[in-house]
Amino acid sequence: MMLEHFYTAISLIAQPYVFFVIATAAVYGLFVGAIPGLTATMATALLVPITFFMDPVPALAAIVTMTAMAIFAGDIPAALVRIPGTPSSAALVADSYALTQQGKAGFVLGVNVTVAAIGGLIGAIILILLAPMLAEVAMKFTCFEYFWLACIGLSCAVLVTRGSLIKGLVSLLIGLFMTTVGVDITLGFPRFTFGITNFLNGFNFIPAMIGMFGVSEVMRNVSSGDLSFNGISANTQKMFAGIGKVLRRYKLNVGRAGVVGTFVGIVPGAGADIAAWIAYAVSKRFSKEPEKFGIGHIEGVVDAGTAHNAGLGGAWVPALVFGIPGDSITAIVIGVLFMKGLRPGPMIFQQTPEILYALYVAFILANILLIPFGFLAIKAGTQMLRVPRNILMPAILMFCIVGSFAINNTTFDVGIMLCTGILAFFMEANDIPVAPAVLGLVLGRLLEDSFMVSMIKSNWDLTVFFQRPVSAILGAVSIILWSSPFIAALRARWKRK
C-alpha cells in the first residue's frame, strides 16, 4: 500500500508546472535565507498569498522547498561575513567564519550544503517512517518537560563557551536578562520597560541577533582599519574536494545530529535554531578535539549544519498528526492546509494519503535539489569576498537595517539591533563570548513561561518536576550536565594528588 501511494505521489509531483514551482521556490528561499533578518518564517508568510492560486501539491512542495533552501542559505553569510542569515545558522557562525579566514570558504560551504541535504533527508525519512509514533511522544510534553528541555538547552552554553567559564555564564545571564523585559506572564506587570510602550512585548529575538552578529562585525571591521579581505580565498572551484573524507570521518556525527535535529524539531516550539545549538553542544561534548571548537573546526559545522535542516522534517510531525505546529513555519502551513480543505490530524493519513505522500516526495526532492541549487548560491555568494570592505560593510549594515525593520515595520526594532550590536562589540572586546547570550535570548522566555505555569499548577511544589517519568528523565539529564564540570574538576584534583 505504501509503494502504491508513493507511485501516485510521484505522478503528482512529476508535472512540468510543479517542477517550475519548486525551482522558483528554491531560488526565492536561497535569496531570502542569505539576507540577515529575512527569516524562513517571513518567507513562508510572504508565500502564502501566492499559494491561494495553487493546488495543494504544488503549494506544499513550494513551502517545503523554500524552507529547506532558506535554512541552508543562512549559512552562506555566516561563513563569509560572520553574520548568520537565519537564526539556525548562529550555532556554526564562529567555526564557519574562522575557516573562511583560513582561506577555506569554498570548503566549509561545500560541507554546509552537503550535510544540510543529508540532514534534511534524515528528517524526511524519520517523518515518513515514524510520524504517528513520534508525535505521540511529543504530545506527552507538558510545561514540566519544557522546563527541563530549556534547562538542557541552556546547559549547552557551557559547552559552546571557549575560555573563561565565568565570562560564558555572564554572557548567558545577559541574554536571559533581556528576555525578562516586557510584561510578566503571571502578574501582567511591566518589567524593565522604563515607561517605553514598545518594550511591553519584550526584545524581539531576530533584531537582537542581527545586531549581535551583524552590527558588531561591521564595527569590528571599521575599527580594524583593514579595507580588503587579504589572504581570504573566494575560490570555489574545488568546493566538494575532500567532502568524502569529512563525511567518512564524521559519519557518526552526521547520523547523531540528524536524529537529534529531528527529535528536537518534533517538540512543539523548539525549531531548527534550538536543534542546531543542541547538536553543536553535543558534538563538542563528545568530540576528541573539543579545544578546537570555535576557532575553525569543521566537526561543529557538520553537526549544526546537519541538525538545522533535519529539524524541518521533525517539525512537520506534530503538525500533520495532531494539527499542532512544531515551529513557526508549520504554524503557517497548518493555515495553508485548512485553506486547501485538508484537516491536519490522524485522519489525514486515511482521507488524503496521496497528498501526504506527495509531501514526502517533495521533502526528498527538495533536499536532493539543495546541492545543485546551493552550489550556484555559494558561487554567487562568495563574490562578496571580492568586494572591498569599505563598500561591503555599509551594504551589510543596510541589509541589517532593512531586515530588522521588515519584521514588524517599526524603527524600534532597528534601535534594538543597533544597541545589541554595540553591546556585543564591547562584550567581544573584553573576551565575553556572544553565543551564550544568543542562546539565552532563544530559550529564556520558554524557561520562564514553563517554570511559572508549572508552579501555578503545582502550588509551588518543586517535586512536581520529578513526578512524571519523562520529566524525571530530563531532570536527571539536566542535573548530570550541570554537575559534570564540578565532577571533572574534582577528578582532575584527585589525579594531581
Side-chain angles (χ1 to χ4, degrees):
M1 182 65 72
M2 180 180 288
L3 289 177
E4 182 181 338
H5 288 321
F6 265 115
Y7 290 141
T8 304
I10 292 171
S11 66
L12 291 173
I13 293 289
Q15 303 289 335
Y17 170 68
V18 178
F19 279 136
F20 171 76
V21 169
I22 288 174
T24 306
V27 174
Y28 169 61
L30 289 168
F31 174 77
V32 171
I35 298 178
L38 302 184
T39 63
T41 303
M42 181 185 299
T44 306
L46 295 175
L47 192 62
V48 168
I50 301 174
T51 62
F52 288 162
F53 308 100
M54 297 181 186
D55 292 331
V57 171
L60 293 175
I63 293 174
V64 167
T65 305
M66 184 275 299
T67 52
M69 299 290 173
I71 293 296
F72 154 72
D75 298 346
I76 298 176
L80 297 180
V81 290
R82 200 173 175 266
I83 304 172
T86 56
S88 57
S89 301
L92 49 76
V93 65
D95 287 288
S96 294
Y97 185 66
L99 287 166
T100 296
Q101 290 182 308
Q102 297 168 20
K104 300 178 181 178
F107 170 69
V108 68
L109 288 171
V111 171
N112 269 332
V113 69
T114 305
V115 298
I118 294 173
L121 288 172
I122 292 174
I125 291 170
I126 294 177
L127 170 66
I128 295 169
L129 298 178
L130 304 176
M133 182 180 68
L134 293 178
E136 289 183 12
V137 174
M139 290 307 298
K140 295 184 183 297
F141 274 57
T142 62
C143 54
F144 310 114
E145 287 78 18
Y146 278 118
F147 170 76
W148 288 122
L149 185 68
C151 289
I152 292 173
L154 291 173
S155 302
C156 297
V158 176
L159 298 176
V160 302
T161 298
R162 287 189 54 81
S164 171
L165 179 61
I166 298 298
K167 290 183 177 180
L169 292 175
V170 168
S171 177
L172 178 63
L173 290 174
I174 290 173
L176 289 174
F177 170 74
M178 292 171 69
T179 63
T180 63
V181 175
V183 176
D184 188 328
I185 62 164
T186 53
L187 302 176
F189 190 81
R191 302 176 300 187
F192 310 113
T193 59
F194 304 102
I196 301 173
T197 306
N198 286 309
F199 269 138
L200 291 175
N201 290 326
F203 276 89
N204 193 315
F205 164 64
I206 303 299
M209 187 202 71
I210 294 172
M212 286 187 160
F213 287 110
V215 175
S216 64
E217 183 64 21
V218 171
M219 293 177 65
R220 190 179 303 106
N221 279 275
V222 171
S223 63
S224 69
D226 186 7
L227 300 180
S228 64
F229 292 94
N230 293 327
I232 299 180
S233 172
N235 182 23
T236 56
Q237 296 299 320
K238 298 181 179 180
M239 186 187 303
F240 295 107
I243 298 283
K245 182 179 179 180
V246 171
L247 293 179
R248 285 192 298 272
R249 181 177 181 182
Y250 298 117
K251 56 182 180 292
L252 293 179
N253 295 63
V254 172
R256 180 183 63 205
V259 173
V260 168
T262 305
F263 276 78
V264 173
I266 290 169
V267 177
D273 45 345
I274 296 177
W277 279 110
I278 291 179
Y280 182 87
V282 170
S283 176
K284 185 176 180 180
R285 174 65 181 83
F286 293 101
S287 174
K288 295 178 181 179
E289 303 171 306
E291 71 282 354
K292 293 184 179 181
F293 278 67
I295 57 174
H297 192 36
I298 198 65
E299 185 176 0
V301 175
V302 168
D303 281 71
T306 303
H308 63 40
N309 270 60
L312 294 177
W316 282 74
V317 172
L320 290 175
V321 179
F322 292 101
I324 295 175
D327 59 7
S328 53
I329 295 172
T330 50
I332 299 172
V333 168
I334 288 173
V336 174
L337 291 173
F338 277 110
M339 183 179 68
K340 299 298 180 184
L342 303 172
R343 185 177 182 85
M347 294 306 295
I348 196 173
F349 292 86
Q350 283 79 38
Q351 293 175 348
T352 53
E354 68 282 355
I355 302 295
L356 194 66
Y357 279 80
L359 176 68
Y360 296 158
V361 173
F363 257 106
I364 295 171
L365 182 61
N367 286 286
I368 293 173
L369 291 176
L370 180 59
I371 292 181
F373 276 90
F375 173 77
L376 296 175
I378 292 168
K379 293 282 285 187
T382 48
Q383 300 307 308
M384 284 191 291
L385 296 182
R386 303 182 187 275
V387 181
R389 289 182 195 258
N390 59 339
I391 296 175
L392 183 61
M393 289 302 138
I396 289 174
L397 183 60
M398 181 191 71
F399 277 120
C400 291
I401 293 171
V402 171
S404 299
F405 180 81
I407 296 168
N408 292 313
N409 294 327
T410 172
T411 55
F412 181 76
D413 284 339
V414 177
I416 292 294
M417 177 204 69
L418 294 173
C419 291
T420 53
I422 295 170
L423 172 64
F425 174 76
F426 284 108
M427 285 172 62
E428 293 197 326
N430 292 280
D431 295 324
I432 299 176
V434 172
V438 175
L439 195 58
L441 269 170
V442 173
L443 292 171
R445 184 53 63 95
L446 175 63
L447 178 75
E448 182 187 10
D449 290 1
S450 55
F451 178 77
M452 294 307 299
V453 172
S454 300
M455 290 296 92
I456 292 171
K457 289 173 65 175
S458 64
N459 196 23
W460 297 90
D461 180 10
L462 292 173
T463 61
V464 74
F465 287 109
F466 297 93
Q467 291 176 4
R468 293 167 55 87
V470 177
S471 180
I473 293 172
L474 292 175
V477 171
S478 300
I479 292 171
I480 291 171
L481 286 173
W482 293 341
S483 59
S484 59
F486 300 102
I487 295 174
L490 289 174
R491 288 179 61 185
R493 186 176 180 182
W494 181 78
K495 286 182 179 180
R496 285 195 300 269
K497 287 184 177 181

